[in-house]
Amino acid sequence: MPAKTMNAIPAIRATADAAAPKEFSITPQPGSDFSTFRISPLKHNFHEHPLMQLPRLAELARSLQKTNQCRYIVPGTQQDSSFDHKSQSHDGRTVDDVFARIEETGSWIALYNVETDPTYARFLREVTDKMKEFIEPEQPEVFKVGGFIFISAPPSVTPFHIDRENNLWMQVAGRKILNVWDHNDRHVVSAEDVDGFIKWGSLKNVRLREGYQERSREFDVGPGDGVYFPATSPHMTRTTTDWVRKGDAISISIGVVFYTRHTYRHANIHAFNVTLRKLGFKPSLPGHNAFVDTLKFWAGRTYIWLARHLRGYKPVAGMLMPGK
């Protein structure tokens, strides 16, 4: 073969490789023992995805602002503050103002339920699809996948709280410190408060208190790092300024959240527990007794059905399986 032709082969191959679409992945951290029932570290490369770049996120924020899906933190918020994000910036900044000054101290914006954007809905599904082989053996039927994106200039915080969904939490840019607690730690969040949160969404008594932080797992994460944690796992974040450099001064993270048949079952048990507490009982949380859980699940499901059809009750997200 002529030398010219041979020399051209690497160039042709390099061009073809450059044109090939990038493969994105998320997996349990190598060497970790992943389970959907406990906190587990992750590795990913979704921070390189085009939809996770700041200009594209600014475009998304502008569209979400129209439906009040952008949230702003209250000045002075600490990790032990109540979880209270406002739909309007305290200083009247528009979304464009926020992104124009995003590297300034105190800049903070959260994009809620980004799955309402069809492009981002597909992105979120791509993330969960990559993890299904690890999730579904323990928790089948992933449904109602959602996403919450947090963009801030350090120092910043997200206060202590719990969520109804399982969470594939990924760091996209900058660094962040994430503290997560075992979802079974009743010293940190009481059984009654978990039940009430699942049914009504109340975080009134879910607050960080002295001595709690020592009971958590702390992750200092950068782009490509992530953490999975189960539904109702208490968690909070903070960013510091020690890593900030010119051109690297913004922290971006995303929580890809989802329900499963397991979380659906537990949601109905929690709902029935609220009723039992009103009657003077002290029911245990799901997971203590399989037979009792089965009874409470069917009782809770029946109660929810009656409340929907007779009283117009609207069940919270995750309390119904798709098509129910």
Side-chain angles (χ1 to χ4, degrees):
M1 182 179 289
K4 276 188 175 181
T5 305
M6 291 182 65
N7 291 339
I9 290 175
I12 293 170
R13 185 171 297 146
T15 302
D17 289 345
K22 185 173 182 65
E23 181 71 20
F24 294 100
S25 67
I26 178 171
T27 62
Q29 182 173 288
S32 67
D33 185 16
F34 179 86
S35 170
T36 60
F37 300 120
R38 60 176 176 265
I39 303 162
S40 300
L42 306 170
K43 296 298 289 185
H44 70 91
N45 66 347
F46 279 99
H47 60 292
E48 299 174 354
H49 198 287
L51 293 178
M52 288 290 100
Q53 307 313 306
L54 192 62
R56 184 62 179 85
L57 292 174
E59 182 183 334
L60 172 65
R62 282 192 289 272
S63 68
L64 295 181
Q65 181 69 27
K66 301 171 186 175
T67 49
N68 291 321
Q69 290 173 246
C70 296
R71 295 289 188 274
Y72 304 89
I73 202 161
V74 177
T77 296
Q78 302 297 320
Q79 290 182 305
D80 59 356
S81 301
S82 61
F83 193 83
D84 186 17
H85 297 161
K86 303 295 186 183
S87 59
Q88 298 293 327
S89 173
H90 73 282
D91 56 6
R93 291 191 201 183
T94 65
V95 165
D96 286 333
D97 292 335
V98 169
F99 280 92
R101 300 163 57 186
I102 195 63
E103 293 191 4
E104 292 182 10
T105 298
S107 294
W108 194 102
I109 189 170
L111 312 182
Y112 274 33
N113 299 111
V114 302
E115 70 277 5
T116 58
D117 180 291
T119 301
Y120 279 85
R122 290 191 292 272
F123 168 83
L124 300 172
R125 272 291 176 185
E126 182 181 357
V127 174
T128 53
D129 284 349
K130 297 292 185 180
M131 281 293 292
K132 275 188 176 180
E133 65 177 291
F134 305 103
I135 295 167
E136 293 199 326
E138 292 183 334
Q139 296 196 38
E141 298 185 61
V142 170
F143 70 97
K144 202 170 177 57
V145 178
F148 297 81
I149 301 173
F150 298 86
I151 306 167
S152 63
S156 63
V157 303
T158 299
F160 179 89
H161 66 287
I162 61 177
D163 298 320
R164 295 187 180 95
E165 313 96 331
N166 294 330
N167 197 324
L168 296 168
W169 189 94
M170 300 186 295
Q171 186 69 8
V172 172
R175 299 201 67 83
K176 184 168 282 187
I177 298 169
L178 169 71
N179 289 84
V180 192
W181 285 257
D182 183 349
H183 67 291
N184 292 314
D185 192 337
R186 300 283 68 84
H187 176 76
V188 173
V189 180
S190 73
E192 183 175 3
D193 288 329
V194 174
D195 288 335
F197 171 75
I198 293 296
K199 186 170 184 182
W200 305 115
S202 173
L203 289 169
K204 180 180 178 181
N205 297 320
V206 180
R207 301 286 289 274
L208 179 67
R209 305 187 193 282
E210 187 176 352
Y212 282 12
Q213 190 156 341
E214 291 75 12
R215 302 172 72 93
S216 72
R217 287 186 64 179
E218 184 166 287
F219 299 88
D220 186 346
V221 296
D225 297 325
V227 181
Y228 165 83
F229 45 93
T232 73
S233 298
H235 57 285
M236 64 184 186
T237 69
R238 69 185 189 275
T239 61
T240 58
T241 58
D242 54 310
W243 55 269
V244 173
R245 302 289 184 273
K246 187 176 181 179
D248 184 19
I250 305 167
S251 176
I252 304 174
S253 57
I254 178 171
V256 180
V257 300
F258 61 94
Y259 299 95
T260 63
R261 180 165 288 279
H262 174 82
T263 62
Y264 155 72
R265 177 181 171 85
H266 278 204
N268 282 271
I269 295 170
H270 285 296
F272 191 64
N273 277 354
V274 173
T275 300
L276 291 175
R277 291 184 193 282
K278 289 181 179 178
L279 296 173
F281 294 97
K282 294 183 178 180
S284 61
L285 288 180
H288 288 273
N289 185 300
F291 177 71
V292 172
D293 279 354
T294 298
L295 293 178
K296 289 197 292 185
F297 165 70
W298 285 107
R301 183 177 173 182
T302 301
Y303 171 81
I304 295 299
W305 188 92
L306 291 171
R308 285 176 67 201
H309 290 84
L310 300 179
R311 294 162 45 194
Y313 170 68
K314 294 182 179 180
V316 297
M319 202 169 278
L320 298 175
M321 288 290 291
K324 298 295 184 182

